Amino acid sequence: SAARRISGPVHLGMLTSICGFGALLFAEAKMLNGVGWISIMGQISMYLICMVLFPMMKDYIYSFRNK
């Protein structure tokens, strides 16, 4: 239940961060463009790890403890 309460702010924070870093994709400087891509990929990967992988691992670990 705590994960459901916190998921809304996490989604919003991730979306605003990706939009902010996405603005760097329109920069003329290639270095800023690269920083934008790397930051967006980092945000997406951390989002998937925190919202998908960790809950799956937690459920997997707790299923063995309860047996």
Side-chain angles (χ1 to χ4, degrees):
S1 67
R4 289 188 181 146
R5 284 192 316 225
I6 201 71
S7 66
V10 169
H11 295 318
L12 184 62
M14 188 252 336
L15 181 64
T16 57
S17 294
I18 287 178
C19 289
F21 289 129
L24 293 175
L25 298 178
F26 298 106
E28 290 184 22
K30 294 294 180 190
M31 184 177 283
L32 288 177
N33 197 326
V35 168
W37 275 113
I38 292 169
S39 300
I40 288 172
M41 291 298 125
Q43 284 284 326
I44 291 172
S45 64
M46 286 295 106
Y47 174 78
L48 291 175
I49 288 171
C50 291
M51 298 302 285
V52 177
L53 187 62
F54 282 163
M56 287 173 47
M57 287 174 43
K58 184 188 81 158
D59 291 342
Y60 182 74
I61 291 170
Y62 285 144
S63 68
F64 284 116
R65 286 187 179 176
N66 292 334
K67 285 185 178 182

